[in-house]
C-alpha cells in the first residue's frame, strides 16, 4: 500500500478505515461495529476500568464511542487480534485480545497520545502488547506523521510503565491527584529504525 502524503499541518486520522497492520504475533484492524459487543464485555471489568482510567458505559454508549473513534479527526483506534488464532479461525471476534489508539493532542506540534490495552489475560506475557504498541507507534510516525508521543499511565499499572521505559520513553510529569504518570518520546530516525528492528511490520488493505 502506498504511503499517503500527510503534512503535519494536515494530519488525517481517518486513513486507518481501510487498512490493517500486520506484525509477527498480532494484527491491528480498524475498530468497527462488529467489535463493540465484545469490547463492551471487556470494559465491565473493574481491573480494566482502573488500568485505563475508564468509566463503564452502556452498550448504546459504547456504540456511540465506536462511532466517534471512527469519525473524529483527532482519534485513531485499532483492535488487536491474536494473529495465530485469526489465521486458524478467520474470526475477528474470537481473535480479539485488546486495542490501541492515538489521540491527537497538539496538531501544530504533531504530538499524539498513545494508549494500549491487552484485555484478554490469556494473551498477556506473550509480547503481544509489546508488538501492538510498536506497530501503533510506527503507524503514527509513518502514516500520521507524528513528531512526538506521550503516554498517560495509571501509577498502579507497573507493567505498562516498565514497557514504555523499555521503549525509550521518559517521565514528563506525575499527578498524585489523578494517580498517573505522563511519559514522552521525541521521534527520531534512529528510534524509528530501532522500532522496525523489534518486529515485522507491514500495511495491508482491510476489506
Amino acid at each position: 500500500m502506498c504511503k499517503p502524503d500527510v503534512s503535519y499541518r494536515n494530519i488525517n486520522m481517518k486513513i486507518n478505515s481501510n487498512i490493517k497492520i500486520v506484525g509477527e504475533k498480532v494484527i491491528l484492524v480498524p475498530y468497527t461495529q462488529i467489535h463493540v459487543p465484545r469490547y463492551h464485555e471487556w470494559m465491565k471489568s473493574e481491573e480494566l476500568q482502573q488500568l485505563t482510567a475508564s468509566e463503564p458505559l452502556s452498550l448504546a454508549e459504547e456504540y456511540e464511542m465506536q462511532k466517534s473513534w471512527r469519525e473524529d479527526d483527532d482519534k485513531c483506534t485499532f483492535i488487536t487480534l491474536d494473529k495465530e488464532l485469526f489465521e486458524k479461525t478467520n474470526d475477528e471476534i474470537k481473535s480479539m485480545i485488546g486495542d490501541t489508539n492515538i489521540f491527537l493532542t497538539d496538531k501544530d506540534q504533531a504530538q499524539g497520545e498513545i494508549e494500549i490495552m491487552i484485555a484478554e489475560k490469556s494473551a498477556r506475557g506473550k509480547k503481544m502488547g509489546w508488538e501492538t504498541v510498536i506497530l501503533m507507534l510506527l503507524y503514527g510516525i509513518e502514516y500520521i506523521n507524528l513528531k512526538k508521543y506521550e503516554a498517560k499511565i495509571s501509577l498502579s499499572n507497573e507493567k505498562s510503565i516498565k514497557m514504555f521505559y523499555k521503549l525509550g520513553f521518559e517521565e514528563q510529569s506525575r499527578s498524585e491527584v489523578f494517580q498517573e504518570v505522563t511519559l514522552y518520546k521525541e521521534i527520531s530516525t534512529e528510534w524509528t529504525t530501532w522500532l522496525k528492528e523489534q518486529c515485522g511490520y507491514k500495511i495491508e488493505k482491510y476489506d
Side-chain angles (χ1 to χ4, degrees):
M1 179 177 177
C2 295
K3 181 177 177 181
D5 181 14
V6 184
S7 164
Y8 79 93
R9 292 191 178 276
N10 187 30
I11 293 174
N12 180 0
M13 298 291 278
K14 298 180 184 178
I15 60 175
N16 73 314
S17 61
N18 63 349
I19 70 167
K20 61 183 177 181
I21 308 173
V22 181
E24 296 170 1
K25 294 177 178 288
V26 300
I27 301 172
L28 308 186
V29 299
Y31 183 29
T32 67
Q33 287 190 351
I34 67 168
H35 303 117
V36 172
R38 185 166 186 187
Y39 187 89
H40 178 62
E41 288 300 314
W42 283 343
M43 297 315 296
K44 291 179 181 179
S45 162
E46 292 184 4
E47 176 198 16
L48 292 178
Q49 290 171 23
Q50 180 181 6
L51 292 176
T52 60
S54 301
E55 296 292 331
L57 301 177
S58 68
L59 182 58
E61 289 172 329
E62 205 70 75
Y63 275 109
E64 285 299 313
M65 184 65 72
Q66 181 274 328
K67 185 178 179 181
S68 77
W69 279 114
R70 191 77 168 180
E71 298 179 358
D72 286 5
D73 290 330
D74 61 350
K75 301 174 183 176
C76 174
T77 191
F78 287 90
I79 293 293
T80 302
L81 307 181
D82 178 326
K83 184 180 180 181
E84 182 179 6
L85 183 56
F86 179 71
E87 288 178 344
K88 288 180 179 178
T89 65
N90 199 36
D91 187 324
E92 287 189 12
I93 309 307
K94 290 182 179 179
S95 304
M96 289 172 63
I97 60 170
D99 78 322
T100 180
N101 49 64
I102 291 173
F103 296 89
L104 187 61
T105 54
D106 189 327
K107 189 170 184 177
D108 288 336
Q109 297 298 317
Q111 176 175 297
E113 178 185 341
I114 187 165
E115 294 183 340
I116 177 179
M117 175 183 73
I118 299 298
E120 292 295 326
K121 292 183 178 180
S122 61
R124 297 175 189 172
K126 298 179 179 179
K127 292 290 186 179
M128 291 186 181
W130 170 259
E131 185 172 288
T132 294
V133 74
I134 288 176
L135 295 180
M136 194 59 161
L137 290 168
L138 287 169
Y139 175 80
I141 294 168
E142 297 195 337
Y143 286 81
I144 305 176
N145 209 22
L146 296 179
K147 304 301 180 187
K148 181 180 177 180
Y149 276 113
E150 64 179 3
K152 296 180 180 179
I153 308 170
S154 168
L155 291 174
S156 64
N157 194 348
E158 295 181 3
K159 288 185 178 180
S160 188
I161 293 172
K162 288 179 180 178
M163 180 180 70
F164 275 93
Y165 277 138
K166 190 175 179 180
L167 286 164
F169 281 66
E170 299 177 22
E171 183 172 329
Q172 178 172 283
S173 62
R174 185 176 290 248
S175 172
E176 297 301 328
V177 174
F178 295 105
Q179 283 292 291
E180 68 179 18
V181 60
T182 299
L183 308 178
Y184 78 97
K185 178 64 180 175
E186 299 280 353
I187 294 166
S188 67
T189 302
E190 293 77 16
W191 185 59
T192 303
T193 299
W194 179 81
L195 289 174
K196 290 181 177 180
E197 292 171 349
Q198 304 310 303
C199 62
Y201 163 74
K202 60 181 178 178
I203 304 295
E204 296 181 358
K205 185 176 180 180
Y206 177 74
D207 297 317

